[in-house]
Amino acid sequence: MAEKYTAEIVPLNAEKIGVKPHGTAEFTIDGAQLRIHIEMFDTPANVQHWEHFHGFPDGKPAEIATAAQDANGDGFVDLPETEPVSGTTMVPFDAEPAKMHVPNDSYPVADAEGHYAYEKLVDLKELQQAFKAAFGSEDLQLDKRVIYIHGVPDSLKLPDTVKGTVMNYDAHVTLPIAVGKIVRA
């Protein structure tokens, strides 16, 4: 019997980015495969959106970030400010999630209306092996994770206090725009 997990994805930083991204995520473990389906609405249009689940390697339950995580008071909750409640970036929802190579350009791009749908079938063993190499356990513990959607246009003026550069990707790419707690369905 398949295990199913869902997340209701709600806006984060909406008042600063001018849109209210929202959507749903569904994760189904069926035998040797993990099916991932994410559909987003009202995201910044024509922008690539990094999306991942975040969590704590020790299995502590992750929680979603809210405006309360804006530690420096700049009005934005940036990627580093999510870490105390949400943990670290774990699995990317890109062209090849099982490779667990976070910084890349193979994430979904929203259309002119800010909509996109992401669907991926992942070899569960391959993902579990990569997860174990990175975090010491092959147990994904989806019900202890949160999903983040990231990305705003380069044209959005961000204060210097907004952090989150990953390799050659700046805070425009990594700024969280939506978040959801993953729960067992």
Side-chain angles (χ1 to χ4, degrees):
M1 182 157 145
E3 287 178 62
K4 198 174 220 172
Y5 300 84
T6 62
E8 191 64 39
I9 302 171
V10 298
L12 184 62
N13 290 313
E15 53 291 332
K16 292 290 188 178
I17 65 173
V19 291
K20 293 181 177 170
H22 60 95
T24 56
E26 203 172 88
F27 306 92
T28 307
I29 297 174
D30 196 358
Q33 297 192 309
L34 169 65
R35 178 180 301 282
I36 304 162
H37 177 78
I38 301 166
E39 188 166 17
M40 291 298 299
F41 301 90
D42 301 323
T43 68
N46 305 310
V47 171
Q48 178 172 247
H49 294 290
W50 283 17
E51 48 185 10
H52 318 91
F53 78 65
H54 294 222
F56 295 97
D58 66 4
K60 173 182 150 187
E63 299 301 328
I64 65 169
T66 65
Q69 273 64 58
D70 180 15
N72 63 8
D74 64 4
F76 289 88
V77 177
D78 62 25
L79 182 60
E81 289 171 326
T82 69
E83 290 175 10
V85 295
S86 301
T88 190
T89 303
M90 293 182 137
V91 175
F93 304 126
D94 60 1
E96 298 182 279
K99 294 225 183 304
M100 289 182 48
H101 180 66
V102 172
N104 71 72
D105 290 322
S106 69
Y107 291 92
V109 175
D111 67 17
E113 279 76 50
H115 171 263
Y116 71 85
Y118 169 89
E119 182 94 30
K120 191 60 71 178
L121 205 52
V122 180
D123 181 283
L124 189 58
K125 263 290 178 245
E126 190 181 338
L127 178 58
Q128 288 170 325
Q129 288 169 346
F131 194 80
K132 184 174 185 175
F135 301 109
S137 167
E138 62 179 39
D139 187 355
L140 300 177
Q141 296 183 303
L142 290 171
D143 58 346
K144 293 184 177 180
R145 312 298 184 202
V146 293
I147 181 173
Y148 276 94
I149 311 299
H150 307 265
V152 295
D154 288 337
S155 59
L156 183 69
K157 180 78 176 105
L158 296 177
D160 293 342
T161 53
V162 174
K163 304 298 180 204
T165 299
V166 175
M167 291 177 56
N168 58 329
Y169 296 95
D170 73 4
H172 288 88
V173 175
T174 67
L175 186 74
I177 61 167
V179 60
K181 176 85 172 138
I182 301 171
V183 296
R184 187 184 281 267

